[in-house]
Amino acid sequence: MKKQTRIHPLLFLIPLILLGPVYSFLNQSTEGAYPITVPLDDSIPFIKEFIIPYVVWYPFIYSALIYLCFKERKLYFVALSSLIAGKIIAFIVYATWQTTVPRPEVTGNDVFSQLVRFIYSNDQPVNCFPSIHVMTTFIIMLVAIKRIKKTPWLSIGALTIGVLIILSTLFTKQHALLDVLSGLGLGAVMYTISYALWSMAWNRVSLPFTSVRERAGEIRK
């Protein structure tokens, strides 16, 4: 009998990684970008120290996905599908309707100020609505809530980091309130749809993709 070739589930991270250059392509110019700040945005202070949770975002997302890949495959595919679909929708919005956020002048030579200036210099103040930072973080937070009974402390830790990342988008002036709200909404919709679809299809496709731990659990049942 011919041996079945399996694709390791981690390889499904590749489409998500390949979407990265699309963001850079759409982040070239602020010309024609529309400001959507509201008066409440003016009352939000610039806190340079929040650049730390802001840059933690990237390892937070990928470490969570890698962890889920080995611990709970279904939620891994739910999260991954949500992230990819959400990013594509965000890119379509960026390509058709760019928004911008005013940035403060950053002075000082401390590590936080230097890091903020580095982020500002490598990221034009566009690609704002909806916030991909918020959308992707919120999806991982929803997954953490789903696992809170299994891994309470780990889930609480993920939720805490997630809240700090979302707040950092405002305190670093990388995003406005409407960017954050739209990111939360998009993340919630993508997660809900993805979870429903994977729940319906999982029994049909799970065998090649379930982890050893999950297979052992099925045998015990």
Side-chain angles (χ1 to χ4, degrees):
M1 181 181 294
K2 186 178 180 180
K3 186 177 180 180
Q4 184 180 10
T5 302
R6 288 183 178 175
I7 300 175
H8 195 280
L10 277 180
L11 292 176
F12 288 95
L13 286 173
I14 293 175
L16 183 65
I17 296 170
L18 292 178
L19 284 174
V22 179
Y23 180 92
S24 300
F25 175 77
L26 296 171
N27 191 247
Q28 297 300 313
S29 173
T30 61
E31 185 177 353
Y34 185 80
I36 59 169
T37 52
V38 297
L40 189 56
D41 283 301
D42 296 331
S43 65
I44 298 174
F46 168 69
I47 305 176
K48 59 188 176 182
E49 289 80 8
F50 266 85
I51 197 64
I52 299 301
Y54 186 84
V55 299
V56 163
W57 167 76
Y58 193 88
F60 173 75
I61 297 298
Y62 280 95
S63 61
L65 288 172
I66 293 170
Y67 173 83
L68 288 170
C69 181
F70 291 101
K71 293 296 183 179
E72 193 158 350
R73 281 290 155 77
K74 178 183 171 182
L75 284 180
Y76 166 71
F77 283 109
V78 168
L80 186 57
S81 301
S82 304
L83 294 172
I84 291 173
K87 274 196 167 188
I88 291 172
I89 291 174
F91 290 158
I92 292 172
V93 176
Y94 300 160
T96 56
W97 187 60
Q98 275 284 16
T99 63
T100 187
V101 175
R103 289 172 171 174
E105 181 181 354
V106 183
T107 59
N109 290 316
D110 57 279
V111 64
F112 303 112
S113 298
Q114 292 182 30
L115 192 50
V116 171
R117 285 196 293 269
F118 175 78
I119 295 297
Y120 281 5
S121 65
N122 287 277
D123 186 18
Q124 295 290 330
V126 290
N127 290 0
C128 298
F129 179 96
S131 167
I132 286 180
H133 246 69
V134 173
M135 182 269 295
T136 53
T137 299
F138 191 52
I139 287 171
I140 299 301
M141 291 173 69
L142 291 172
V143 172
I145 292 172
K146 198 73 178 175
R147 284 186 55 85
I148 201 162
K149 290 184 179 180
K150 294 181 179 179
T151 54
W153 291 111
L154 190 61
S155 296
I156 290 171
L159 290 170
T160 302
I161 295 172
V163 169
L164 290 173
I165 291 173
I166 291 172
L167 290 176
S168 76
T169 65
L170 294 171
F171 290 136
T172 59
K173 297 299 179 177
Q174 281 286 84
H175 287 283
L177 280 170
L178 292 178
D179 303 333
V180 171
L181 293 175
S182 59
L184 292 172
L186 180 59
V189 170
M190 291 299 98
Y191 175 84
T192 301
I193 293 173
S194 181
Y195 189 87
L197 293 176
W198 277 104
S199 294
M200 289 188 293
W202 187 244
N203 289 336
R204 299 178 184 178
V205 302
S206 62
L207 185 58
F209 298 124
T210 48
S211 65
V212 173
R213 183 187 297 268
E214 287 172 320
R215 289 175 197 164
E218 289 298 322
I219 292 173
R220 286 196 295 269
K221 291 178 182 178

